[in-house]
Amino acid sequence: MARRALITGITGQDGSYLAEHLLAQGYEVWGLARGQANPRVSRMRKLLADVQVVRGDLLDQGSLISAVERVQPDEVYNLGAISFVPMSWEQAELTAEVTGMGVLRMLEAIRVCSGVSRGSSSRSGQIRFYQASSSEMFGQVTETPQNERTGFHPRSPYGVAKAYGHFLTQNYRESYGMYAVSGILFNHESPRRGAEFVTRKVTLGAARIKLGLATELRLGNLEARRDWGFAGDYVRAMHLMLQAAAPEDYVIGTGRMKSVRDLVEAAFTAAGLDWEQYVVLDQTLHRPAEVDLLCADPKKARVQLGWEPTVSFDDLVAMMVESDLRLLSNGGDPDQDSSWP
Ligand code: NAP
Ligand code: GDD
């Protein structure tokens, strides 16, 4: 029988790549989708016709229990979140509820539906749980590069909510013997990345300027450094983590850092433009507390899971610029458009 996976956050970047990967592995894939007429569900359905949809919301405990009862999954991937860091200052309580408490609700749905209780010892036949933890938990880093033992100093309500979900996942593993793991993923991008995140904002901005649809691009802190990889590589790591003999947490990243300035230069060069003529610095885009740098030490994932990233930073940026030039040349609207490459 095909293994069954339930993915929360199916309409997001990672949900789409993970669903494609699991379908290719022969899984029956279900996606949890929220809202009454969520336009992102139809975009997802066009790309992923074989994904079955179950309604539910990370804010609604009963809906998660119903979803787990209906799907009877072997594996649950909890990718749903308010994931845009600046929004977490504007709607801190909502972020805590969805990104933090949502993890508790999903774990409880699994615990209740599978009858797991304190002192359970056998993990066989259990629903395996993946939590989308984040390098944003490291925040003001205490060492570089960051590994599974590096301490957390989150710098945003989002990072704090993710840290809660991370520790709770560990706690359910320790308290109930659940097969529950966290992937501490560093920034990962793709042509399906939301237009609000800096990589896509820059590749879209360069493509718009190249096509004469814009004359400038406004950005905040160009000095921030991140470890950027390709989302398609990172969803393979999520799946590998749930196939391991024992549940453990892993850091996933490339081990290479680039600045926002490097990103801008690479994207504008890929579009055949000189960035200094078009980029405008905008203080209002700076954050109340910044994460200056993030850089992964992915050694554990490489040794224990055999995971390696396959797409370089330059190839990733070029892939995104090319995709955005194609999308805009065909009259697509990245904010509204129902097409996804
Ligand atoms: P994304 O594109 O922003 O997708 C977020 C998903 O969460 C969307 O499908 C959204 O659904 C869903 N969601 C929001 N509120 C929800 C709610 N109340 N109930 C159920 N679902 C809800 O994020 P992503 O880049 O794919 O990231 C996936 C996960 O990995 C997130 O948890 C993110 O925090 C984490 N993460 C991402 C990165 C990265 O660099 N991409 C790095 C580390 C960790 P709607 O369409 O209904 O809004
Ligand atoms: N979004 C954005 N817009 N960021 C900008 C801008 C701008 O105009 N100008 C500079 N930046 C800088 C931000 O200050 C930040 O330091 C960096 O670019 C990256 O910002 P984002 O792309 O918004 O990503 P993030 O690092 O805050 O968060 C992403 O990665 C996390 C993992 O480290 C998100 O995907 C999170 O959900 C994820 O957990």
Side-chain angles (χ1 to χ4, degrees):
M1 267 215 340
R3 289 181 70 73
R4 220 171 291 132
L6 172 62
I7 303 173
T8 74
I10 190 71
T11 57
Q13 170 189 257
D14 290 9
S16 72
Y17 282 106
L18 179 62
E20 275 175 354
H21 181 63
L22 295 179
L23 287 168
Q25 305 278 320
Y27 276 71
E28 179 182 320
V29 178
W30 289 74
L32 184 95
R34 69 181 173 129
Q36 200 173 318
N38 184 341
R40 305 215 307 165
V41 175
S42 50
R43 177 182 69 174
M44 182 278 294
R45 276 198 160 120
K46 277 187 189 145
L47 182 76
L48 299 160
D50 292 335
V51 169
Q52 304 185 61
V53 170
V54 57
R55 295 283 162 185
D57 195 308
L58 287 167
L59 296 172
D60 182 339
Q61 179 72 76
S63 74
L64 300 180
I65 292 174
S66 301
V68 173
E69 269 176 353
R70 170 149 181 229
V71 175
Q72 299 282 314
D74 299 295
E75 298 171 10
V76 172
Y77 295 86
N78 186 38
L79 311 185
I82 303 287
S83 76
F84 187 45
V85 172
M87 184 172 161
S88 76
W89 279 284
E90 286 163 12
Q91 298 188 39
E93 189 177 338
L94 182 66
T95 304
E97 283 292 339
V98 179
T99 305
M101 289 291 285
V103 186
L104 172 65
R105 295 188 189 100
M106 199 66 239
L107 282 165
E108 277 294 286
I110 293 170
R111 192 183 67 78
V112 168
C113 292
S114 51
V116 177
S117 58
R118 254 174 54 198
S120 301
S121 53
S122 167
R123 288 199 177 105
S124 70
Q126 274 193 23
I127 299 172
R128 295 188 170 203
F129 176 78
Y130 173 87
Q131 168 55 20
S133 285
S134 165
S135 53
E136 188 69 17
M137 300 185 303
F138 296 122
Q140 192 154 302
V141 299
T142 53
E143 60 178 342
T144 297
Q146 296 86 47
N147 62 38
E148 292 78 7
R149 294 171 306 283
T150 303
F152 297 157
H153 182 154
R155 296 273 282 169
S156 61
Y158 168 83
V160 174
K162 281 287 178 188
Y164 172 79
H166 182 80
F167 285 126
L168 198 75
T169 302
Q170 279 182 351
N171 180 259
Y172 270 52
R173 183 165 79 212
E174 291 169 7
S175 305
Y176 301 113
M178 283 173 69
Y179 192 112
V181 308
S182 283
I184 307 175
L185 269 54
F186 285 63
N187 299 49
H188 45 280
E189 320 292 316
S190 74
R192 297 180 199 161
R193 186 58 144 152
E196 64 275 35
F197 299 95
V198 76
T199 51
R200 188 78 196 286
K201 182 173 175 184
V202 168
T203 61
L204 272 170
R208 283 197 179 103
I209 293 168
K210 179 74 179 178
L211 297 172
L213 302 171
T215 53
E216 63 172 36
L217 174 63
R218 304 187 81 79
L219 290 171
N221 179 12
L222 298 190
E223 308 315 323
R225 284 177 288 166
R226 290 290 182 277
D227 177 337
W228 278 295
F230 172 54
D233 282 338
Y234 288 46
V235 300
R236 279 192 292 108
M238 297 176 188
H239 177 242
L240 285 171
M241 280 180 224
L242 289 198
Q243 313 316 306
E248 289 183 37
D249 303 331
Y250 295 87
V251 155
I252 300 294
T254 70
R256 294 202 168 81
M257 254 188 313
K258 296 281 184 182
S259 66
V260 175
R261 186 184 295 273
D262 296 330
L263 163 72
V264 171
E265 197 173 336
F268 278 70
T269 303
L273 298 168
D274 172 8
W275 71 273
E276 287 180 283
Q277 291 183 29
Y278 303 103
V279 170
V280 177
L281 299 183
D282 185 341
Q283 279 298 323
T284 66
L285 294 169
H286 283 242
R287 299 177 178 185
E290 177 64 287
V291 171
D292 295 326
L293 70 92
L294 291 171
C295 184
D297 172 2
K299 184 168 167 213
K300 180 180 173 187
R302 187 171 63 241
V303 172
Q304 292 188 205
L305 302 175
W307 179 84
E308 298 266 8
T310 65
V311 179
S312 71
F313 173 77
D314 285 338
D315 288 348
L316 172 65
V317 175
M319 176 204 304
M320 292 175 69
V321 170
E322 247 173 61
S323 169
D324 283 332
L325 282 168
R326 212 175 311 119
L327 175 74
L328 296 173
S329 302
N330 293 333
D333 177 349
D335 298 320
Q336 307 279 329
D337 199 57
S338 60
S339 68
W340 236 356

